[in-house]
């Protein structure tokens, strides 16, 4: 490992910290990205309010099944491809290097959008809670700034430190939601009904909205492969973590959204969600268990957001690292700290992006009197755009899986290398169409305007630019082009 003269204590072209993460660590980092408590407190009431459908619980089951089908080929490919670039490497090896570079920039935009968008909700939630609970007035951006610093510090340290922090936070989230579930089933003002778990509850008007909103709750599940170079046994750890994350999240979201409907009462669930929004969970707990427990859950809601921020930050840092190491982006992005082997350059770059984007929204909202400005703009616009782009990438990865195994089946069954990827790609394409069809509604707009087209363009145009750049690299630097998506060969992978 060669020390970088530009940055003492760092190494350019070094490796990530190998063999640090097991199945449980990676699974917790995946689940942290979706922020379970945030999904139940924010995603479920929003989906109920906008769709008017009680089929939200069954919707999570349907989405989990779709993602499990996609994961069959995705997990199989992870046994043979070990690269922190994940989607980028899969598409480069399964379709083409040009498509791989294009997808890498789309992934960077999407993961950054998800991470920076969540910062807005993080800052607003702390500011709002301090104001309503203690009468302390603070600007939302102050807490965003402090959050960026904390996330950045963890990002440049050893990955197992982040895993431990996220593990504790996710465990506390689960406890908080389980408490809510128990209280809901005890309250049951209209009795316990299994109707929200029946297919008939979903396959009715509003199904498109339920699925479009619901898929965002799973974003991050695909990030297991990003940690392949740091996994103890990537050929086994990555598939197991991917499957476990989808199953746990799907069951947990279905059960907890069902509990919310039972606790509030099926006849009142939609109306209460429309009236209270994310405040529904806290109002319910305040009524049934008191202020102290509600405050604790509110704090855990904030830490839930922090866990998601850290998880997406780690993903972005590793994408930058992979692309810098292979020369697709400036090579200094491939630098790691000598002490922690963390991708410090990618981490710092993501931190700078978060600061710049946040400042842009702070300046834009300076003249707004609406306290919800950061939520209605920065959070809503960026997270929905990021989720849309990640669904697009997953559909493309499904095609890449087919291409990868077409040249060499590697002893993999037809179901794994062909049938499941085809079915998964079709279902993900349907999801993407549903998201686009309901995009105005997801942005809180009554009709299409310039924003309806600008936000998807922010995802697509970098992909086009990346493909053009790959063509340039092929002509200008054939050696660098040859390494695209192929730079890591793990001796322990399944051959």
């Amino acid at each position: 490992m060669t020390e970088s003269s530009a940055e003492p204590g760092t190494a350019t072209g070094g490796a990530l910290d190998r063999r640090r993460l097991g199945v449980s660590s990676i699974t917790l980092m995946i689940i942290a990205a979706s922020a379970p408590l945030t999904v139940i407190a924010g995603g479920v009431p929003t989906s109920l309010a906008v769709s008017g459908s009680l089929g939200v619980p069954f919707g999570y089951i349907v989405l989990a099944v779709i993602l499990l089908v996609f994961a069959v080929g995705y997990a199989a490919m992870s046994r043979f491809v070990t690269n922190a670039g994940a989607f980028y490497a899969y598409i480069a090896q399964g379709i083409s290097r040009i498509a791989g570079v294009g997808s890498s920039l789309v992934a960077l935009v999407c993961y950054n959008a998800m991470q920076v968008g969540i910062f807005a909700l993080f800052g607003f939630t702390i500011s709002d809670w301090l104001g309503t609970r203690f009468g302390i007035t603070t600007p939302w951006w102050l807490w965003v700034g402090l959050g960026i610093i904390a996330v950045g510090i963890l990002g440049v340290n050893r990955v197992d430190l982040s895993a431990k922090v996220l593990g504790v936070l996710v465990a506390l989230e689960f406890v908080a939601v389980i408490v809510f579930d128990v209280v809901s089933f005890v309250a049951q003002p209209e009795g316990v009904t299994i109707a929200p778990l029946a297919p008939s509850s979903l396959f009715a008007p509003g199904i498109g909205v339920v699925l479009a909103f619901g898929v965002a709750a799973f974003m991050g599940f695909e990030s297991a492969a990003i940690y392949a170079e740091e996994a103890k046994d990537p050929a086994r750890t990555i598939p197991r973590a991917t499957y476990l994350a989808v199953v746990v999240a799907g069951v947990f979201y279905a059960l907890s959204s069902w509990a919310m409907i039972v606790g509030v009462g099926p006849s009142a669930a939609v109306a209460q969600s429309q009236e209270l929004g994310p405040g529904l969970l806290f109002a319910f707990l305040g009524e049934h268990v008191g202020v102290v427990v509600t405050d604790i859950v509110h704090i855990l809601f904030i830490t839930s957001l922090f866990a998601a921020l850290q998880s997406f930050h780690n993903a972005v840092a590793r994408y930058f690292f992979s692309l810098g190491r292979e020369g697709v982006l400036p090579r200094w992005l491939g630098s790691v700290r000598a002490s922690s082997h963390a991708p410090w350059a990618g981490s710092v770059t993501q931190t700078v992006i978060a600061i710049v984007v946040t400042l842009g929204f702070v300046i834009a909202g300076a003249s707004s009197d609406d306290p919800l400005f950061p939520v209605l703009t920065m959070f809503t616009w960026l997270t929905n755009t990021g989720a849309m782009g990640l669904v697009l990438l997953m559909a493309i990865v499904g095609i890449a899986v087919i291409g990868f195994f077409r040249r060499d089946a590697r002893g993999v069954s037809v179901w794994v290398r062909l049938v499941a990827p085809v079915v998964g790609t079709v279902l993900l394409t349907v999801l993407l169409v549903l998201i686009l069809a309901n995009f105005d509604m997801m942005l809180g707009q009554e009709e299409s305007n310039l924003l309806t087209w600008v936000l998807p363009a922010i995802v697509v145009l970098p992909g086009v630019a990346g493909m053009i750049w790959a063509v340039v690299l092929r002509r200008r630097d054939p050696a660098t082009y040859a390494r695209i998506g192929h730079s890591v060969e793990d001796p322990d992978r399944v051959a």
Side-chain angles (χ1 to χ4, degrees):
M1 184 177 293
T2 304
E3 291 294 328
S4 169
S5 59
E7 184 71 21
T10 67
T12 301
L16 296 173
D17 205 0
R18 307 298 285 267
R19 307 295 182 260
R20 281 283 174 187
L21 304 175
V23 174
S24 59
S25 296
I26 295 178
T27 301
L28 288 172
M29 286 198 285
I30 294 171
I31 294 176
S34 64
L37 182 53
T38 303
V39 171
I40 304 306
V44 173
T46 300
S47 188
L48 287 168
V50 176
S51 69
S53 169
L54 295 181
V56 173
F58 189 72
Y60 285 122
I61 295 175
V62 170
L63 288 168
V65 170
I66 292 173
L67 296 178
L68 281 173
V69 173
F70 162 79
V72 169
Y74 183 66
M77 193 168 174
S78 73
R79 293 164 51 201
F80 306 95
V81 179
T82 303
N83 191 304
F87 282 169
Y88 151 69
Y90 286 23
I91 293 172
Q93 295 199 34
I95 299 178
S96 71
R97 289 171 173 81
I98 293 174
V101 175
S103 68
S104 72
L105 298 192
V106 172
L108 276 174
V109 169
C110 292
Y111 282 120
N112 270 297
M114 295 291 289
Q115 202 261 5
V116 179
I118 294 171
F119 261 125
L121 184 58
F122 175 78
F124 168 81
T125 301
I126 296 177
S127 177
D128 181 64
W129 182 63
L130 290 175
T132 55
R133 185 72 178 85
F134 303 104
I136 301 173
T137 302
T138 55
W140 64 273
W141 48 262
L142 169 66
W143 302 106
V144 172
L146 293 175
I148 289 174
I149 293 172
V151 168
I153 290 173
L154 284 174
V156 297
N157 282 286
R158 278 171 41 168
V159 68
D160 53 341
L161 174 61
S162 288
K164 290 173 183 176
V165 172
L166 295 181
V168 171
L169 296 181
V170 171
L172 292 174
E173 285 184 65
F174 274 99
V175 171
V177 177
I178 289 171
V179 168
F180 168 75
D181 292 349
V182 171
V183 173
S184 295
F185 283 117
V186 170
Q188 51 171 287
E190 299 175 25
V192 177
T193 173
I194 63 171
L197 295 173
S200 59
S201 66
L202 176 65
F203 295 103
I207 179 175
V209 177
V210 171
L211 295 178
F213 271 98
V215 73
F218 292 88
M219 289 301 97
F221 94 94
E222 77 296 335
S223 64
I226 292 174
Y227 300 100
E229 295 180 44
E230 298 157 284
K232 291 179 179 177
D233 183 1
R236 295 174 177 81
T237 301
I238 302 307
R240 291 174 183 175
T242 300
Y243 287 128
L244 185 59
V246 175
V247 171
V248 170
V251 171
F252 192 68
Y253 295 155
L255 176 64
S256 298
S257 56
W258 175 38
M260 179 174 286
I261 293 171
V262 170
V264 177
S267 65
V270 172
Q272 287 288 296
S273 296
Q274 292 171 338
E275 178 184 350
L276 300 176
L280 175 58
L281 181 144
F282 302 107
F284 177 85
L285 288 175
E287 179 182 349
H288 290 87
V289 297
V291 175
V292 174
V293 174
T294 304
D295 282 344
I296 292 173
V297 174
H298 220 131
I299 293 172
L300 292 177
F301 178 62
I302 294 169
T303 60
S304 166
L305 292 169
F306 182 84
L309 289 166
Q310 190 66 55
S311 184
F312 280 115
H313 174 89
N314 289 346
V316 173
R318 280 151 183 79
Y319 257 97
F320 275 128
F321 164 80
S322 179
L323 294 170
R325 175 181 58 191
E326 297 184 3
V328 175
L329 293 181
R331 292 191 182 278
W332 60 265
L333 284 169
S335 302
V336 299
R337 289 184 71 187
S339 58
S340 65
H341 293 270
W344 76 269
S347 179
V348 171
T349 301
Q350 202 288 316
T351 297
V352 171
I353 290 172
I355 292 173
V356 171
V357 175
T358 299
L359 285 175
F361 278 95
V362 170
I363 294 171
S367 60
S368 174
D369 295 327
D370 188 353
L372 287 172
F373 174 82
V375 177
L376 298 177
T377 56
M378 184 171 164
F379 172 72
T380 302
W381 295 356
L382 296 184
T383 55
N384 283 313
T385 300
M388 176 201 68
L390 289 175
V391 172
L392 169 63
L393 283 175
M394 283 191 284
I396 297 173
V397 169
I399 298 172
V401 171
I402 298 169
F404 181 77
F405 288 112
R406 180 180 61 82
R407 292 186 289 270
D408 182 354
R410 293 173 169 83
V412 175
S413 70
V414 174
W415 159 251
V416 172
R417 71 175 189 266
L418 181 61
V419 178
V422 168
V423 174
T425 299
V426 170
L427 293 175
L428 285 167
T429 302
V430 171
L431 273 181
L432 179 62
V433 171
L434 289 174
I435 290 173
L436 293 173
N438 293 280
F439 203 54
D440 288 336
M441 195 175 297
M442 295 172 72
L443 296 177
Q445 302 173 168
E446 294 184 359
E447 58 184 22
S448 297
N449 56 28
L450 182 62
L451 199 64
T452 308
W453 306 101
V454 169
L455 292 179
I458 290 175
V459 170
V460 175
L461 292 181
V464 175
M467 295 174 72
I468 294 173
W469 174 237
V471 173
V472 172
L473 278 177
R474 185 173 60 184
R475 295 176 179 175
R476 180 187 299 175
D477 191 347
T480 294
Y481 181 79
R483 288 194 299 270
I484 290 175
H486 295 67
S487 71
V488 176
E489 295 294 332
D490 194 320
D492 295 331
R493 71 183 184 180
V494 176

